[in-house]
Amino acid sequence: MRGLMQGRQLLVSTYLSHAEAYHSEREIVSRMVEGPQHRTTYGALALRARRVANLLADLGLGFGDVVGTLAWNGFRHMEVWYGTSGSGLVCHTVNPRLFPEQIAFIINDARDRILFIDLTFVPLIEKIIDQLPLVERVVILTDRDHMPATSLKNVACYEDLLAGASETFLWPEFDENTASSLCYTSGTTGNPKGVLYSHRSTTIHCMSANFGDALGMRSTDTVMPVVPMFHVNAWSIPYGAPMVGAKLVFPGAALDGASVYQMLEAEQVTLTAAVPTVWLMLLQHLEKTGARLSSLKRVVIGGSAAPRSMIETFQDKYGVAVCHAWGMTEMSPLGTMGSPRAGLDALPHDQALDLQCKQGRVMFGVQMKITDDQGRTLPRDGTAFGNLKVRGPWILETYLHGAGGKVLDDEGFFDTGDVATLDPYGFMQITDRAKDVIKSGGEWISSIDLENAAVGHPEVAEAAVIGVVHPKWDERPLLIIVAKAGAALDRDAMIDFLRPRVAKWWLPDDVVFVDELPHTATGKLLKTRLREQFKDYRLPGL
Ligand code: AMP
């Protein structure tokens, strides 16, 4: 028997329509690439998103066409999101931090017909435009006064186009399984692969992300997504905020500690989200200036493991609750969120911190299992670790154009490429990327655990651990460190520091100090580069 409820479709346009109807005066504040701060409201933004929908139609784009963006977090970028997805087009957020060849590859692979770009990225597109035969027009997200001199042909000024477009537009109703947006994996090997989200997957993901035990956004919140809109849709915040009518603050291109701090304070932000690198810069700024955080209540940390010292500093020194989250492009991206759980919410300080260092609890909507290399499910005991696999309505079924072939197992689970433990309460802990785990004497050593322990040293700014070849044990850990300015740290002091913190056989065989570590376009350690760099490294005593 079928249910007798309305089959209204779950569509991206409805988030903004809701905000327009009931939160129209709520503000959206952006730090502009052009310099000044800009203030608008959901009501005004909704009108301009309709103009975007009309201008896309005026330019000859129709249902299913793909529009690329290379833009920082800001109100214009948000208008383009809603104008495209809302009218049945696909919004492809290009990560400008990828290598130019990769950017050209994904714009072609996605078949972007128009690019909306911030001023920052004009030189980048000028450099690769000859490799983009399908791009018909480049729209620069600025006004007439700031239009740059450019060698690009078929270039247009966003504000001019918008002024000429009507704001009368009825968001169309269509099948919720229609594609809404597109992101590419930031793969460290091979070409990036496209992950094509639907209106349905985006909506369900976002509603779950808005749960109190997840992002927990409320109308009374002021939310600043520092995580870029080109990094898996800024973890859904520009979708979820209009659903609840939260005030939005976009930091633009200035992500250094001082600028992020200025925005947090000036707009009295209550909730924010970003990768650990950003928070490291903020905490260093606070330490240097002695400044306090007067409004911030919660910070979401994800994308890479949140170091214990970072969680502790936010909470104990600044009174800001940390939510450690995990996810990936293929998961829209959220999969686990580290919110307090009944029965485990009154642990002694150190145990509570241990729990928060885990990547969080499985969200409703995501099914999760860990398996051994033969695909056998391992116990959910918090100790056994294996390949982490996931299934759910906001997790990909296949990559764009079928890249990479079949990616689900026989039960429909996607292999995340992470190695993890899972406990009876649903707390998941990443012990490594499958390809980064150090295989020593038939056992696995977690490079992430070692890195986390190393950054606990007050003189360590950043740490990476890779496996290097060992004739007896196959691989042994090598610790690579960027020390803080003025540190007097050496190998033996570092090993002594780690000794009480990790199992004896996990202790790195050697420690090297470098000026900086290589990172991917999304701020993760680029271990392939490190492995290449240290492939001939000879451990002491060999
Ligand atoms: P991306 O698709 O670029 O967001 O990368 C996803 C990958 O980032 C995951 O598969 C993890 O390996 C890693 N990752 C994301 N969040 C965390 C976290 N909180 N701790 C450790 N690794 C993480």
Side-chain angles (χ1 to χ4, degrees):
M1 194 189 296
R2 284 179 64 85
L4 295 175
M5 308 310 281
Q6 298 181 9
R8 305 294 295 176
Q9 301 298 294
L10 304 171
L11 298 175
V12 167
S13 58
T14 60
Y15 325 159
L16 192 55
S17 299
H18 177 80
E20 185 183 20
Y22 303 109
H23 306 283
S24 80
E25 85 302 344
R26 282 297 265 163
E27 278 188 306
I28 299 163
V29 183
S30 311
R31 174 180 276 130
M32 313 257 287
V33 176
E34 294 90 335
Q37 277 180 22
H38 173 275
R39 309 186 91 82
T40 185
T41 60
Y42 282 118
L45 192 132
L47 287 179
R48 281 166 57 95
R50 287 203 199 91
R51 285 181 188 263
V52 174
N54 278 323
L55 89 80
L56 290 167
D58 295 345
L59 294 176
L61 275 79
F63 200 77
D65 279 333
V66 186
V67 167
T69 66
L70 276 106
W72 302 106
N73 292 5
F75 72 103
R76 291 189 179 120
H77 199 179
M78 184 162 167
E79 292 161 6
V80 174
W81 271 28
Y82 280 93
T84 50
S85 304
S87 53
L89 281 71
V90 180
C91 185
H92 171 205
T93 48
V94 182
N95 182 344
R97 293 184 184 139
L98 294 171
F99 296 118
E101 316 82 72
Q102 286 181 316
I103 293 179
F105 170 83
I106 67 173
I107 290 175
N108 291 330
D109 191 63
R111 305 194 179 125
D112 294 349
R113 288 186 54 189
I114 291 191
L115 297 179
F116 286 86
I117 68 170
D118 266 340
L119 283 168
T120 325
F121 306 117
V122 173
L124 171 68
I125 295 300
E126 283 173 343
K127 218 182 303 163
I128 60 170
I129 193 73
D130 289 345
Q131 301 165 48
L132 309 175
L134 304 176
V135 172
E136 297 159 25
R137 191 178 295 262
V138 178
V139 181
I140 303 183
L141 291 165
T142 192
D143 56 21
R144 177 106 322 253
D145 291 348
H146 293 92
M147 273 301 275
T150 171
S151 60
L152 290 170
K153 302 193 182 58
N154 286 336
V155 71
C157 165
Y158 179 74
E159 290 296 341
D160 282 359
L161 287 183
L162 220 59
S166 161
E167 64 185 26
T168 309
F169 185 88
L170 223 50
W171 298 113
E173 274 267 345
F174 45 81
D175 179 0
E176 66 190 21
N177 290 298
T178 303
S180 57
S181 67
L182 174 64
C183 278
Y184 276 71
T185 59
S186 53
T188 47
T189 50
N191 279 325
K193 296 195 273 296
V195 180
L196 189 60
Y197 311 106
S198 69
H199 286 258
R200 173 187 150 82
S201 69
T202 303
T203 309
I204 301 175
H205 171 258
C206 191
M207 288 164 84
S208 295
N210 274 7
F211 285 167
D213 271 352
L215 293 175
M217 268 189 283
R218 313 183 66 158
S219 156
T220 45
D221 273 316
T222 295
V223 187
M224 179 159 89
V226 183
V227 53
M229 290 164 75
F230 54 74
H231 189 186
V232 222
N233 300 322
W235 303 351
S236 90
I237 292 170
Y239 292 136
M243 277 185 180
V244 300
K247 173 178 162 184
L248 264 176
V249 179
F250 288 129
L255 305 183
D256 60 283
S259 305
V260 166
Y261 177 72
Q262 188 273 328
M263 238 18 204
L264 288 171
E265 286 301 302
E267 297 305 323
Q268 290 289 286
V269 171
T270 56
L271 169 66
T272 181
V275 295
T277 326
V278 166
W279 300 132
L280 201 65
M281 292 190 290
L282 175 72
L283 292 178
Q284 280 169 358
H285 171 79
L286 296 179
E287 200 175 308
K288 204 168 70 193
T289 58
R292 307 298 299 177
L293 293 162
S294 66
S295 59
L296 194 61
K297 293 196 173 62
R298 276 182 310 138
V299 58
V300 182
I301 309 178
S304 300
R308 186 186 182 88
S309 54
M310 180 176 285
I311 301 176
E312 200 171 13
T313 309
F314 264 123
Q315 295 186 156
D316 297 353
K317 186 159 178 196
Y318 297 106
V320 177
V322 169
C323 174
H324 187 186
W326 165 89
M328 61 195 313
T329 310
E330 289 88 337
M331 300 180 68
S332 302
L334 299 172
T336 54
M337 306 281 313
S339 48
R341 185 195 185 280
L344 295 172
D345 48 347
L347 294 173
H349 182 264
D350 273 10
Q351 281 177 40
L353 260 183
D354 288 345
L355 204 57
Q356 284 192 291
C357 287
K358 296 191 174 199
Q359 272 66 19
R361 293 190 280 128
V362 184
M363 291 166 70
F364 169 77
V366 174
Q367 288 172 284
M368 199 170 269
K369 66 177 179 183
I370 48 172
T371 70
D372 64 15
D373 281 342
Q374 281 69 48
R376 288 178 300 232
T377 300
L378 297 171
R380 226 163 17 92
D381 59 7
T383 307
F385 55 100
N387 302 308
L388 179 65
K389 298 183 180 168
V390 289
R391 180 166 84 171
W394 61 79
I395 295 165
L396 106 161
E397 189 160 277
T398 172
Y399 289 104
L400 187 65
H401 312 313
K406 180 172 179 278
V407 291
L408 305 188
D409 72 9
D410 292 343
E411 293 176 325
F413 280 84
F414 172 75
D415 188 341
T416 62
D418 286 324
V419 175
T421 64
L422 195 56
D423 80 7
Y425 306 108
F427 280 98
M428 184 274 284
Q429 182 159 31
I430 303 265
T431 54
D432 237 316
R433 282 299 286 169
K435 53 188 186 318
D436 295 339
V437 82
I438 296 151
K439 297 192 169 151
S440 178
E443 298 289 342
W444 290 7
I445 297 176
S446 160
S447 64
I448 292 180
D449 278 2
L450 281 176
E451 286 157 9
N452 284 342
V455 294
H457 191 294
E459 290 183 314
V460 171
E462 206 181 3
V465 174
I466 55 167
V468 290
V469 179
H470 190 284
K472 178 168 177 202
W473 303 109
D474 291 335
E475 282 184 343
R476 288 296 303 159
L478 172 67
L479 171 60
I480 306 162
I481 281 184
V482 179
K484 286 190 182 160
L489 198 58
D490 64 13
R491 173 191 184 279
D492 293 344
M494 196 62 224
I495 302 266
D496 284 345
F497 175 78
L498 292 176
R499 212 178 295 283
R501 293 175 168 81
V502 300
K504 188 160 174 268
W505 63 278
W506 281 33
L507 280 175
D509 281 29
D510 207 2
V511 183
V512 286
F513 293 85
V514 294
D515 291 338
E516 59 177 344
L517 290 167
H519 291 96
T520 68
T522 48
K524 299 184 210 308
L525 282 171
L526 190 51
K527 297 228 177 139
T528 44
R529 175 99 43 90
L530 282 176
R531 278 195 285 268
E532 180 56 32
Q533 201 177 328
F534 289 95
K535 73 175 186 303
D536 298 323
Y537 192 81
R538 282 183 73 83
L539 293 168
L542 292 181

